């Protein structure tokens, strides 16, 4: 029921604005698009108009012990971010609770890594699950990855940040689904020919950073917008800018979206 998510989105926008974000008065969140909840223009928008700007200080990244472990090479950035989401969704940090309350109000993305054996039968023989592997092997591989690669890091982080009650494969799988579907400035690696549907989580894997960036992060408010693979439907992209709104590459202190063409009233705002 996407209509039930609209009040939560309004609270998220108010929270983000209080933290320094800018959200165009010509935008609103609705559930009347084919993609579920989305952002729509309430009035015509001109090319170049600011749609959204978020200070980089609002980006969700690993902090504290997890950040130190990433810096020392004992935990991968992807795993650290997923564990950050486990904490925020289930232990709840006040600083970002509004954003994660919004995530918690919806089911996690429906990715194959969360599927049961019956559903996995449909992807046997594809790039996701080789014909030499079975759904049962895929499920076993996920369990092994959790027990060998994830649980030890959860235990190292400690009881205060990740209590024993939240150190479960189900909660971690849901957090990983949010990260793999919404994280920015990152990429995922998978073991070719393996049964596991989870991305590679060990610290010795390939870099997850893209284009010289500083690692993966989640960006509150930005993920209210849906994306499209059709260039004709897209009207904006995310860009890094400095405090004056000038493009400034990876040293930028804000991220913004501007209309790259004119947008009609009631049109959904879609990005690449």
């Amino acid at each position: 029921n996407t209509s039930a998510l609209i009040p939560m989105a309004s609270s998220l926008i108010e929270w983000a604005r209080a933290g320094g974000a800018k959200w165009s008065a010509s935008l609103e969140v609705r559930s009347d698009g084919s993609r579920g909840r989305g952002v729509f223009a309430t009035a015509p928008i001109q090319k170049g108009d600011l749609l959204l700007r978020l200070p980089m200080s609002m980006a969700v990244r690993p902090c504290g012990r997890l950040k130190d472990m990433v810096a020392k090479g004992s935990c991968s950035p992807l795993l650290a971010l997923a564990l950050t989401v486990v904490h925020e969704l289930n232990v709840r940090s006040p600083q970002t609770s509004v954003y994660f309350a919004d995530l918690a109000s919806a089911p996690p993305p429906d990715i194959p890594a969360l599927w049961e054996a019956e559903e996995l039968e449909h992807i046997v023989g594809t790039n996701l699950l080789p014909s030499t592997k079975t759904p049962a092997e895929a499920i076993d591989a996920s369990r092994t990855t959790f027990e060998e690669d994830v649980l030890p890091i959860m235990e190292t982080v400690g009881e205060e940040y990740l209590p024993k009650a939240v150190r479960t494969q189900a909660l971690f799988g849901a957090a990983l689904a949010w990260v793999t579907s919404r994280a920015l400035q990152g990429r995922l690696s998978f073991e070719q020919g393996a049964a596991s549907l989870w991305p590679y989580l060990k610290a010795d894997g390939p870099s997850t950073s893209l284009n010289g960036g500083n690692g993966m992060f989640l960006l509150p408010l930005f993920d209210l917008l849906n994306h499209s693979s059709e260039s004709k439907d897209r009207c904006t992209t995310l860009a890094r800018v400095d405090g004056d709104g000038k493009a400034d590459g990876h040293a930028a202190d804000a991220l913004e979206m501007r209309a790259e063409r004119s947008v009609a009233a009631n049109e959904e705002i879609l990005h690449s």
Side-chain angles (χ1 to χ4, degrees):
N1 182 9
T2 54
S3 61
L5 302 178
I6 306 307
M8 185 66 71
S10 298
S11 298
L12 179 61
I13 293 168
E14 292 177 8
W15 168 79
R17 280 175 166 161
K22 294 184 179 180
W23 175 272
S24 171
S26 297
L27 300 179
E28 72 174 8
V29 180
R30 301 179 193 165
S31 60
D32 42 339
S34 60
R35 299 171 180 84
R37 185 177 70 172
V39 177
F40 294 79
T42 59
I45 296 173
Q46 301 302 310
K47 180 179 179 180
D49 285 357
L50 180 67
L51 303 175
L52 168 68
R53 180 180 293 160
L54 288 163
M56 283 301 297
S57 59
M58 295 190 71
V60 177
R61 289 191 170 103
C63 60
R65 190 162 190 179
L66 280 172
K67 180 180 179 181
D68 293 341
M69 292 175 71
V70 170
K72 294 176 181 177
S74 58
C75 180
S76 71
L78 173 58
L79 178 53
L81 185 56
L83 293 179
T84 298
V85 175
V86 173
H87 168 80
E88 296 288 354
L89 284 177
N90 303 285
V91 185
R92 199 59 62 84
S93 174
Q95 288 82 0
T96 51
S97 61
V98 177
Y99 171 60
F100 284 98
D102 180 65
L103 289 192
S105 67
D110 185 25
I111 62 173
L114 301 182
W115 291 359
E116 300 294 337
E118 184 176 348
E119 298 171 291
L120 292 176
E121 288 285 359
H122 299 290
I123 63 170
V124 174
T126 68
N127 290 335
L128 294 174
L129 189 58
S131 57
T132 55
K133 305 298 181 182
T134 66
E137 287 177 309
I139 292 172
D140 286 343
S142 297
R143 184 183 304 111
T144 298
T145 297
F146 176 75
E147 293 174 352
E148 295 182 356
D149 301 336
V150 179
L151 195 54
I153 301 297
M154 285 181 150
E155 293 169 348
T156 299
V157 171
E159 181 73 15
E160 183 176 353
Y161 192 80
L162 291 175
K164 289 182 180 179
V166 305
R167 299 176 197 168
T168 69
Q169 183 177 337
L171 292 181
F172 177 77
L176 186 63
W178 285 118
V179 170
T180 56
S181 65
R182 297 200 178 193
L184 299 172
Q185 199 58 51
R187 59 186 168 195
L188 307 176
S189 296
F190 294 83
E191 292 187 79
Q192 188 173 5
S196 179
L197 295 169
W198 286 11
Y200 194 79
L201 296 171
K202 294 180 181 179
D204 64 352
S207 172
T208 57
S209 296
L210 283 177
N211 304 321
N214 294 319
M216 308 173 80
F217 59 89
L218 294 170
L219 192 62
L221 216 61
F222 166 74
D223 50 17
L224 288 175
L225 282 74
N226 291 316
H227 63 85
S228 174
S229 59
E230 298 290 335
S231 58
K232 63 181 178 62
D233 295 331
R234 300 193 296 261
C235 61
T236 187
T237 54
L238 190 67
R240 289 177 177 263
V241 296
D242 63 15
D244 297 320
K246 298 177 182 178
D248 194 25
H250 295 292
D253 55 12
L255 290 157
E256 73 172 24
M257 306 184 86
R258 290 184 178 272
E260 296 180 341
R261 59 170 173 79
S262 59
V263 180
N266 297 312
E267 182 179 348
E268 185 172 7
I269 307 300
L270 298 171
H271 65 90
S272 57

